[in-house]
Amino acid sequence: MEIILFVLIGLAVGSFLNVAILRIPKNQSISFPASHCPKCKTTLKFYHNIPLISWVVLGGKCAYCKEKISIQYPLIEFFTAVIFFITYTKSENILQALILAILFSALFALSIIDLKYKAVPDLISFPALFISFFARDFLSSFTDALLFAGGFTLLRMIVSWVIKKEAMGEADIIIAAIIGATVGVNLGLSAIYLSALIALPAFLIVGKKGFHLPFIPFLTLGLFITWLFDKQILMLLDKIYG
Ligand SMILES: [Zn+2]
């Protein structure tokens, strides 16, 4: 029963992420005005706003003016529920599951915003960093966050000096700190390595056309996979270096 409740919370969080993704990059309030159709501006009734179900029942159209509603909304609700399901299954207790599910949901929202707007709003990244301090025990998480933030700032200075232009954004350093806090130093380095591996083919395909490739989605994916398969990755590292 607990897992069903947890997944339902995930759907509700996904619904909230939709609002955050739509409004935070435009500096609009996330609580006011109430959800409305972007075309006819009619305020939605609560039953037009039920995650996943309303979109399906309304056939992906506004209940009033029949304007098409993007599939992005139900997809984000669905994937947030999946994040909640996986973290519940993997975590040792419900509190840890909740902390990690909210952290990964925030990173998910940052990934979508980075993809769509090439922006990383502090309003999401800083709270996410704060939550990540509680991903393991506070002292280890906090120390590893500082280590990663410091390491990445140094790396950024060196790379920027070598290529003679600004390398990485400040937001990437915050995400690196979150990675350190969430999985620690060894797994954190694996997560960043994995992110680069996943990003490489994408970079080769779109990078040449002068397209700026957002890196937050890859860091998020790298972290999530590393966290999910932590034992297997640690065993692999042990085989390589042990
Ligand atoms: Zn409408």
Side-chain angles (χ1 to χ4, degrees):
M1 268 322 285
E2 205 178 51
I3 189 162
I4 296 173
L5 184 70
F6 205 72
V7 169
L8 288 177
I9 296 173
L11 278 176
V13 170
S15 188
F16 175 74
L17 292 190
N18 274 324
V19 181
I21 290 166
L22 194 69
R23 297 187 185 180
I24 287 178
K26 295 177 192 155
N27 281 321
Q28 294 169 341
S29 160
I30 44 176
S31 54
F32 181 83
S35 292
H36 54 272
C37 168
K39 190 170 178 225
C40 68
K41 314 278 183 221
T42 318
T43 301
L44 301 179
K45 297 267 192 307
F46 78 91
Y47 51 82
H48 294 142
N49 232 342
I50 303 164
L52 282 184
I53 295 168
S54 294
W55 191 88
V56 175
V57 171
L58 294 169
K61 290 188 196 97
C62 169
Y64 302 100
C65 70
K66 307 291 173 206
E67 171 80 357
K68 231 178 141 234
I69 302 166
S70 167
I71 195 164
Q72 184 192 316
Y73 295 95
L75 278 182
I76 283 175
E77 286 156 359
F78 174 76
F79 281 116
T80 313
V82 171
I83 289 173
F84 270 68
F85 177 80
I86 294 174
T87 43
Y88 183 90
T89 327
K90 158 100 181 158
S91 300
E92 278 149 26
N93 60 63
I94 185 102
L95 184 66
Q96 195 207 18
L98 196 63
I99 289 169
L100 287 164
I102 290 173
L103 175 63
F104 285 127
S105 300
L107 289 173
F108 179 44
L110 284 175
S111 301
I112 305 289
I113 293 173
D114 194 18
L115 269 172
K116 288 190 76 167
Y117 302 95
K118 302 193 185 7
V120 187
D122 295 344
L123 200 60
I124 304 177
S125 64
F126 281 102
L129 177 62
F130 180 74
I131 294 167
S132 75
F133 295 155
F134 302 92
R136 296 175 292 143
D137 67 288
F138 182 82
L139 200 64
S140 315
S141 284
F142 189 72
T143 316
D144 291 342
L146 281 182
L147 265 175
F148 266 55
F152 265 72
T153 308
L154 196 65
L155 185 69
R156 183 186 182 214
M157 282 162 65
I158 295 169
V159 175
S160 302
W161 180 72
V162 170
I163 65 171
K164 305 244 180 311
K165 67 174 186 184
E166 206 72 344
M168 297 192 279
E170 268 156 38
D172 295 320
I173 291 169
I174 296 173
I175 305 298
I178 292 175
I179 291 176
T182 310
V183 290
V185 173
N186 288 347
L187 283 172
L189 291 173
S190 313
I192 287 161
Y193 180 70
L194 187 63
S195 312
L197 271 188
I198 307 170
L200 193 62
F203 184 76
L204 290 177
I205 294 165
V206 295
K208 279 180 194 151
K209 295 167 195 157
F211 177 80
H212 168 78
L213 194 71
F215 202 47
I216 308 284
F218 297 103
L219 287 172
T220 299
L221 199 59
L223 172 62
F224 191 67
I225 295 172
T226 304
W227 168 79
L228 191 56
F229 298 103
D230 55 350
K231 288 191 183 65
Q232 291 85 338
I233 291 173
L234 282 174
M235 251 164 57
L236 189 71
L237 288 178
D238 205 45
K239 275 205 179 115
I240 298 171
Y241 299 107

